[in-house]
């Protein structure tokens, strides 16, 4: 079977600074792939490059059999890739519902509508007319995730969605991830927290200084080995 | 960049610049009165252009109101020389001082605006100062007034003599503006300014005091603009709100000069002023069209080569003709 | 006493026209975060367009203005899409220089085409009708109409920005164009649509300006300054604030003109500077 996302020799640089690559990786439909790596390993650069928002990138990105390397960010979003970006990046002058609607307006049909999102995140249902700047960090992250899901993507990219959140809130968010996968959506999660992310992942890639130095299935891999590669020892 | 073989062009350009400076220093002995008048205008405009370039090209103060200080200098000269009967030669530096004093409150107002709004904000202030100048009855109110003959005589009893004197004053002002600003740019302050031009956020992070630099640049330009205004008044022999505070002459033309010549470089304003005078000499018969050409040209520059004509030339050269950084090459 | 009250009423009504000039600027400042230096010149450009349409076809001022609305939308759209967009997000210098160049091109293009004469469009008697209120106060039908239209424009823009999908998109792009792209919104097209709307406000104000006041090819900058002052006074991005800002300027000018006609403009600028120094964030800041 062809992979949902197939990346070949992708590299990213910012001016003279080389941040990522070359890396090659694949993500299948209905699969959770975890990208782990220390601060500055290039995880966010990888996510941004997939949606066409990284500095200068080279290599080839194929999504559902089509080369999307040269497409604009908005086109990639409409093709079915949603990125929940690092730091949430909500629209502060929009209400909860308006933020969600912007995702919905990508115009893709699928399992997620407003009712489903409000069922997944009841806290948002009560606050739909509030401006997002009045929400807690966890609720803001729910809006960011909801906004991504309402686009009904085939591939969901989550960049550090647990950053700065309380453990209970993180547990809540991570309960939802496998449910999304079970609807046939491919998921990439980026985390610094190895334990949390490997617990839900089907496969993982470990990045060190912009390159993949270990990959495999969490179930088949020794934790010490992961830790050694994570820190580059 | 490696163009060692082209270094001779740079030396040639420096020699040409030096030769031009020498010729200009003795120009009144060589040229006819009409040409001297044009060169005087050239030097005044060059002074103003150097100042606008320092603000917009380095300090990120994109002002559209610097003509205010030219006008203030003009009115100050008239006030000292014609009303207070101060020695006319002393009145000139005093106009610079007045421009500096006026710059303080102006700065307090416009620095409260974010950079995007500062442009029109500075224009509002300039407009207000111009309208206020029109309320000064001792200065002829809205229609202006001519310099008394006694003051004019102070610069020479014969016309040719007077033209030469005023020319040399303009030359001294432009030379002072050029050399002093060049020294400023070569100092540590200049290093900070260059860092700011290249990357404002980065410069802030490495400890360049952005606000301090902006204040310094703004106050730096005011006295020179005041001097230019004084020289222009000596040449035109008259002050009036619309002419002394002319936005077309002292801001619109100046912006075109700097943008087309090359903003954010030392050579840009010089090249721009030369090109501008060529366009004006040869294309002034086409009336409004020369404005349209200048407008289209400046938009094209912003879209195609933001560093202007000098940016185009500089790509081919291994070094600046007027070197600003003391070390020959800054390693990245 | 009655005379003073009358002057204040006239000033408030003039403020409606000023607010109209300012509304498009407020929108472009709020959404695209730049000040279009050619804003006033575009108003004057459309006044001349309306004048030319009237001369060419013999229709009235109102239908001529209505005819220019679609032109203004498309013009604003393309201006943003193919010129301004190219220099957006590169700092303030390029956008100021481009709109500045545009301003000079428009002024001199108009001078070349129409000459330097002062113009005015006839409103067909409408512009001279007045209502006598009593107490020495007379209200012109035209100024009153303009004032009401200005209020309707604020209501319409407010509704558009805060009650419609297009408005939510515009605000999203204005908050963060990169993230808007990420969720599939083509920022460049949304900006262009917003500028098309700005164009429509420009054409409406041009229509009213051309009946009520004299204009000539170089009248743009004074309109820009008034519009800018109204926007800053009201608080950047606040439409109701812009209306209030316009009224304050109108009243200040009317009272200044009481001293002496030559004080009219100066009084407006001085009142602006004083209020600005006291409240740099404007009277009704957005956040
Ligand atoms: N816009 C940029 N300009 C210059 N350098 C950048 C930029 N973005 C990232 N970098 C650099 O590229 C490298 C990789 O950054 P990236 O954000 O991809 O790392 P990361 O793995 O996501 O780190 P973190 O865990 O901190 O989020 C870092 O050294 C970073 O400093
Ligand atoms: Mg990251």
């Amino acid at each position: 079977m062809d992979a949902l996302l197939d990346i070949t020799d992708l590299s990213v640089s910012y001016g003279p600074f080389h941040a990522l690559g070359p890396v090659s990786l694949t993500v299948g439909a209905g699969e959770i792939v975890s990208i782990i790596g220390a601060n500055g390993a290039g995880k966010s650069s990888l996510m941004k490059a997939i949606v066409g928002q990284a500095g200068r990138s080279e290599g080839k990105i194929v999504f559902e059999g089509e080369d999307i390397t040269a497409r604009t960010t908005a086109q990639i979003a409409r093709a079915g890739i949603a990125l929940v970006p690092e730091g949430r990046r909500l629209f502060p002058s929009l209400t909860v519902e308006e933020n969600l609607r912007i995702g919905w307006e990508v115009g893709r049909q699928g399992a997620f509508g407003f009712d489903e999102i409000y069922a997944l995140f009841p806290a948002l249902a009560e606050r739909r007319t509030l401006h997002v700047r009045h929400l807690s960090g966890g609720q803001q992250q729910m809006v960011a995730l909801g906004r991504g899901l309402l686009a009904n993507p085939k591939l969901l990219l989550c960049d550090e969605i647990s950053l700065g959140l309380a453990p209970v809130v993180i547990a809540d968010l991570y309960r939802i991830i496998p449910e999304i996968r079970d609807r046939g959506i491919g998921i990439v999660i980026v985390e610094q927290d190895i334990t949390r992310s490997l617990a839900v992942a089907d496969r993982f890639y470990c990045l060190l200084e912009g390159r993949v130095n270990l990959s495999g299935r969490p179930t088949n891999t020794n934790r010490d080995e992961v830790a050694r590669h994570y820190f580059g020892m | 960049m490696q163009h060692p073989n082209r270094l001779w062009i740079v030396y040639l350009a420096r020699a040409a610049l030096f030769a031009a400076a020498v010729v200009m220093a003795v120009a009144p002995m060589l040229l006819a009165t009409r040409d001297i008048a044009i060169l005087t205008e050239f030097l005044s405009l060059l002074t103003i252009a150097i100042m606008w370039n320092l603000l917009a090209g380095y300090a990120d103060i994109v002002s559209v109101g610097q003509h205010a200080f030219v006008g203030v200098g003009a009115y100050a000269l008239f006030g000292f020389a014609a009303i207070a009967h101060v020695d006319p030669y002393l009145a000139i530096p005093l106009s610079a001082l007045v421009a500096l004093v006026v710059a303080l409150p102006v700065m307090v107002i416009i620095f409260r605006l974010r950079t995007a709004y500062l442009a029109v904000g500075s224009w509002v202030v300039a407009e207000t100062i111009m309208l206020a100048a029109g309320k000064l009855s001792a200065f002829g109110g809205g229609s202006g007034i001519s310099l008394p003959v006694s003051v004019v005589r102070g610069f020479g009893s014969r016309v040719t003599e007077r033209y030469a004197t005023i020319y040399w004053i303009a030359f001294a002002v432009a030379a002072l503006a050029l050399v002093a600003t060049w020294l400023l740019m070569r100092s540590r302050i200049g290093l900070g300014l260059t860092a700011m031009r290249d990357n404002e956020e980065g410069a802030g992070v490495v400890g360049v005091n952005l606000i301090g630099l902006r204040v310094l640049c703004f106050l730096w330009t005011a006295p020179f603009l005041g001097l230019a205004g004084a020289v222009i008044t000596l040449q035109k022999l008259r002050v009036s709100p619309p002419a002394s505070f002319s936005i077309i002459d002292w801001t619109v033309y100046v912006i075109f000069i700097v943008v087309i010549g090359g903003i954010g470089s030392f050579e840009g304003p010089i090249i721009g002023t030369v090109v501008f005078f060529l366009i004006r000499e040869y294309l002034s018969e086409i009336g409004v069209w020369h404005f349209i050409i200048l407008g289209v040209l400046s938009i094209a520059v912003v879209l195609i080569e933001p560093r202007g004509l000098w940016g185009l030339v500089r790509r081919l050269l291994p070094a600046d003709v007027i070197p600003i950084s003391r070390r020959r090459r800054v390693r990245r | 006493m009655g005379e003073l009250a009358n002057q204040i009423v006239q000033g408030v009504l003039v403020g409606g026209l000023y607010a109209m000039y300012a509304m498009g600027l407020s929108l472009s400042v709020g959404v695209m975060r730049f000040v279009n230096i050619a804003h006033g010149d575009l108003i004057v450009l459309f006044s001349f367009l309306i004048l030319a349409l009237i001369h060419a076809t013999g229709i009235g001022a109102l239908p001529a203005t209505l005819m220019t609305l679609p032109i203004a939308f498309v013009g604003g759209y393309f201006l943003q899409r193919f010129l301004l967009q190219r220099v957006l997000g590169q700092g303030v210098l390029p956008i100021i220089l481009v709109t500045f160049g545009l301003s000079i091109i428009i002024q001199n293009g108009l001078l070349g085409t129409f000459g330097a004469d002062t113009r005015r469009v006839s409103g067909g008697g409408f512009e001279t009708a007045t209502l006598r209120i009593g107490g020495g106060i007379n209200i012109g039908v035209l100024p009153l109409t303009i004032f009401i239209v200005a209020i309707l424009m604020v209501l319409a823009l407010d509704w558009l920005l805060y009650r419609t999908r297009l408005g939510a998109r515009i605000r999203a792009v204005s908050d963060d164009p990169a993230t808007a792209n990420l969720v599939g919104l083509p920022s460049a097209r949304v900006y262009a649509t917003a500028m098309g709307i700005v164009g429509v406000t420009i054409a409406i104000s041009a229509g009213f300006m051309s009946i009520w006041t004299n204009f000539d090819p170089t009248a743009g900058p004074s309109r820009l300054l008034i519009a800018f002052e109204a926007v800053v006074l009201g608080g950047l991005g606040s439409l109701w604030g812009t209306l209030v800002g316009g009224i304050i300027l109108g009243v200040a000018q009317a009272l200044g003109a009481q001293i002496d006609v030559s004080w009219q403009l100066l009084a407006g600028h001085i009142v602006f500077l004083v209020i600005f120094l006291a409240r740099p964030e404007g009277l009704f800041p957005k956040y």
Side-chain angles (χ1 to χ4, degrees):
Chain A
M1 183 196 88
D2 279 347
L4 180 63
L5 180 74
D6 193 340
I7 296 178
T8 323
D9 291 335
L10 180 68
S11 46
V12 173
S13 39
Y14 303 101
F17 179 74
H18 186 84
L20 176 76
V23 294
S24 299
L25 56 86
T26 61
V27 182
E31 181 184 39
I32 301 178
V33 171
S34 164
I35 311 281
I36 54 174
N39 258 320
K43 308 179 296 292
S44 297
S45 300
L46 171 62
M47 297 295 103
K48 288 188 208 152
I50 295 173
V51 298
Q53 273 192 338
R56 202 159 44 79
S57 63
E58 276 166 37
K60 191 172 173 192
I61 305 171
V62 175
F63 178 65
E64 291 196 297
E66 285 187 41
D67 188 342
I68 58 164
T69 318
R71 295 203 193 161
T72 66
T73 303
Q75 287 170 338
I76 293 171
R78 272 176 266 137
I81 301 182
L83 169 61
V84 182
E86 190 174 12
R88 303 168 196 135
R89 308 270 299 263
L90 299 179
F91 302 113
S93 48
L94 270 58
T95 61
V96 169
E97 181 137 321
E98 284 173 332
N99 264 281
L100 294 174
R101 176 163 311 246
I102 295 284
W104 171 246
E105 284 184 355
V106 171
R108 297 175 50 86
Q109 302 301 310
F112 293 103
F114 284 87
D115 293 343
E116 284 74 19
I117 297 302
Y118 287 134
L120 279 177
F121 307 113
L124 298 186
E126 301 155 15
R127 296 174 173 79
R128 44 181 98 187
T129 56
L130 281 188
H131 279 261
V132 290
R133 53 179 186 274
H134 302 305
L135 300 187
S136 72
Q139 290 160 354
Q140 290 190 358
Q141 191 64 69
M142 290 172 195
V143 177
L145 196 57
R147 185 179 68 183
L149 288 174
L150 271 169
N152 282 301
K154 292 191 171 147
L155 178 66
L156 181 72
L157 312 173
C158 302
D159 195 349
E160 304 217 24
I161 52 172
S162 66
L163 198 70
L165 301 183
V168 247
V169 183
I170 300 175
D172 261 358
L173 285 173
Y174 269 86
R175 239 196 322 277
I176 294 165
I177 301 283
E179 289 179 30
I180 302 169
R181 180 228 2 234
D182 295 342
R183 308 203 189 203
I185 295 171
I187 302 174
V188 179
I189 48 175
V190 166
E191 282 293 349
Q192 288 191 32
D193 178 346
I194 310 181
T195 324
R196 173 72 64 196
S197 100
L198 291 190
V200 294
D202 299 308
R203 279 190 307 121
F204 75 94
Y205 294 87
C206 181
L207 285 183
L208 180 71
E209 290 171 3
R211 294 184 185 250
V212 175
N213 68 349
L214 184 70
S215 63
R217 294 184 178 278
T219 42
N220 303 344
T221 318
N222 175 316
R223 281 300 142 96
D224 290 340
E225 197 185 347
V226 175
R228 269 192 293 110
H229 283 83
Y230 182 98
F231 293 111
M233 290 183 290
Chain B
M1 265 184 264
Q2 270 91 40
H3 313 281
N5 50 337
R6 296 213 183 108
L7 209 51
W8 64 271
I9 303 180
V10 176
Y11 293 135
L12 195 70
R14 280 181 197 163
L17 198 65
F18 184 74
V22 171
V23 170
M24 291 199 67
V26 297
M29 299 164 188
L30 309 173
L31 297 176
T33 309
R34 183 190 169 270
D35 298 328
I36 289 303
I38 291 176
L39 272 187
T40 310
E41 279 177 47
F42 172 89
L43 290 167
S44 301
L45 218 50
L46 177 64
T47 307
I48 303 173
I50 291 169
M51 295 307 144
W52 194 79
N53 179 48
L54 178 65
L55 291 182
Y58 291 93
D60 210 21
I61 302 170
V62 191
S63 165
V64 191
Q66 293 308 94
H67 53 285
F69 299 109
V70 178
V72 166
Y75 270 67
L77 179 95
F78 185 90
F80 286 118
I83 300 174
H85 302 294
V86 172
D87 178 76
Y89 284 98
L90 182 63
I92 297 171
L94 285 177
S95 356
L97 192 67
V98 171
L100 180 63
V101 170
V102 172
L104 289 168
V106 170
M107 193 175 69
V108 171
I109 296 171
I110 68 170
F111 277 30
R112 289 184 173 214
L113 288 161
R114 275 185 278 163
T115 43
Y117 314 125
L118 187 146
V120 186
S122 64
W123 191 348
V124 169
V125 173
E127 192 76 7
T128 310
I129 296 179
M130 182 192 85
L131 290 170
K135 294 271 163 281
L136 303 172
S137 48
F139 293 78
S143 48
I145 192 168
S146 294
L147 271 181
V149 182
S150 58
V151 174
V152 179
R153 285 266 165 75
F155 294 95
S157 43
R158 281 179 306 119
V159 173
T160 44
E161 193 187 328
R162 206 153 59 222
Y163 270 73
T165 311
I166 293 166
Y167 172 83
W168 269 310
I169 296 171
F171 182 79
V173 168
L176 185 67
L178 195 73
V179 173
T181 308
W182 181 66
L183 290 174
L184 175 79
M185 293 306 299
R186 279 175 72 92
S187 69
R188 267 197 52 227
I189 292 166
L191 205 63
L193 283 173
T194 312
M196 194 156 137
R197 175 197 70 186
D198 292 343
N199 181 352
E200 201 171 307
E201 273 165 41
V205 171
V206 300
V208 175
N209 178 354
L210 297 181
I211 296 179
L213 284 180
R214 288 219 174 93
V215 168
L216 179 91
C217 286
F218 194 78
L219 296 181
W220 181 273
T221 61
F224 287 107
L225 295 173
L227 285 175
V231 171
I232 288 160
T233 306
L234 290 179
Q235 196 180 13
K236 302 218 159 130
L237 302 175
R238 187 177 170 75
V239 290
S240 75
S244 299
F245 289 85
S246 167
I247 184 170
I248 298 285
D249 290 339
W250 320 131
T251 290
V252 174
Y253 282 148
V254 166
I255 292 180
F256 285 147
I257 284 173
V258 176
V259 170
I260 293 170
I263 194 164
S265 70
F266 225 80
E267 295 82 350
I270 302 177
I271 295 178
T273 314
V274 172
V275 169
F276 173 77
F277 271 80
L278 291 177
I279 290 183
R280 211 183 69 166
E281 281 304 289
Y282 294 103
L283 296 179
S284 57
E285 312 91 78
I286 59 175
V288 296
W289 284 100
H290 89 281
F291 275 104
I292 295 176
I293 291 172
L294 287 168
V296 171
L297 216 56
S298 71
I299 292 181
V301 163
V302 175
L303 295 179
I304 298 164
E305 172 50 271
R307 298 257 164 253
L309 288 178
W310 174 245
L312 284 180
V313 177
R314 181 65 179 79
R315 284 191 203 162
L316 308 173
L317 297 180
D320 287 337
V321 170
I322 305 178
I324 287 175
S325 64
R326 265 185 260 177
R327 271 138 300 154
R328 279 219 356 94
R329 197 166 296 162
V330 184
R331 240 182 304 141
R332 294 231 150 200
Chain C
M1 191 54 226
E3 177 55 22
L4 187 68
N6 187 41
Q7 287 308 317
I8 292 177
V9 170
Q10 304 310 325
V12 170
L13 294 176
V14 176
L17 183 64
Y18 292 171
M20 234 182 230
Y21 298 156
M23 239 165 276
L25 195 70
S26 179
L27 196 60
S28 61
V29 162
V31 174
M32 284 154 293
R33 306 191 192 279
F34 75 87
V35 178
N36 177 5
I37 296 206
H39 186 78
D41 304 295
L42 287 169
I43 297 176
V44 175
L45 174 68
F46 271 90
S47 297
F48 274 100
L49 194 64
I50 291 164
L51 185 80
L53 264 175
I54 292 172
H55 281 192
T57 61
I59 54 174
L62 183 67
T65 305
L66 290 176
M67 276 171 71
T68 61
L69 296 187
I71 305 175
F73 182 86
V74 174
Y77 188 96
F78 284 108
L79 177 66
Q80 176 70 29
R81 193 82 172 83
F82 296 110
L83 185 63
L84 303 182
Q85 189 67 36
R86 297 182 57 178
V87 287
L88 216 58
Q90 301 173 11
V92 296
L93 186 64
I95 192 87
I96 290 177
L97 294 181
V98 167
T99 56
F100 180 80
L102 202 62
S103 152
I104 300 298
I105 294 172
I106 294 173
Q107 282 177 35
N108 289 281
L110 289 175
L111 271 174
T113 318
F114 294 95
D117 295 347
T118 297
R119 307 299 187 107
R120 189 162 199 162
V121 168
S122 162
F126 175 56
E127 70 268 36
T128 50
T130 49
L131 307 173
R132 249 173 259 284
I133 304 274
I137 298 175
N138 297 328
I139 292 185
V141 173
L142 175 64
L144 187 64
T145 310
I146 292 177
F147 193 79
I148 293 170
V149 173
I151 291 175
L152 292 178
M153 280 168 76
V154 173
L155 285 172
L157 285 177
D158 210 57
W159 171 80
L160 185 86
L161 274 180
Y162 295 98
R163 296 278 175 273
T164 66
R165 290 187 178 193
L166 176 63
R169 291 173 170 212
I170 289 175
R171 280 179 292 138
V173 170
S174 150
D175 277 349
D176 185 346
T179 304
N181 280 329
L182 200 61
V183 290
L185 272 186
S187 299
R189 286 222 298 272
V190 176
Y191 275 137
T193 309
M195 200 59 187
I197 297 166
V198 171
V200 172
T201 72
I202 283 176
I204 295 174
S205 35
F208 284 114
M209 181 188 93
S210 61
I211 311 175
W212 197 11
T213 71
N214 294 328
F215 59 95
D216 65 78
T218 56
S222 66
R223 270 56 178 186
L224 167 72
L225 296 191
I226 287 278
F228 175 81
E229 290 175 342
V231 170
V232 174
L233 277 186
L236 295 173
S238 157
L239 291 164
W240 288 105
T242 298
L243 181 65
V244 175
I247 292 172
I248 291 175
L249 291 172
V251 172
Q253 289 192 352
L255 294 181
Q258 285 295 93
I259 308 172
D260 180 83
V261 192
S262 67
W263 273 95
Q264 185 180 352
L265 294 178
L266 193 54
H269 291 313
I270 290 174
V271 166
F272 163 74
L273 291 174
V274 168
I275 300 182
F276 173 69
L277 278 173
R279 281 185 74 101
E281 72 285 1
L283 297 171
F284 305 96
K286 221 32 196 320
Y287 298 111

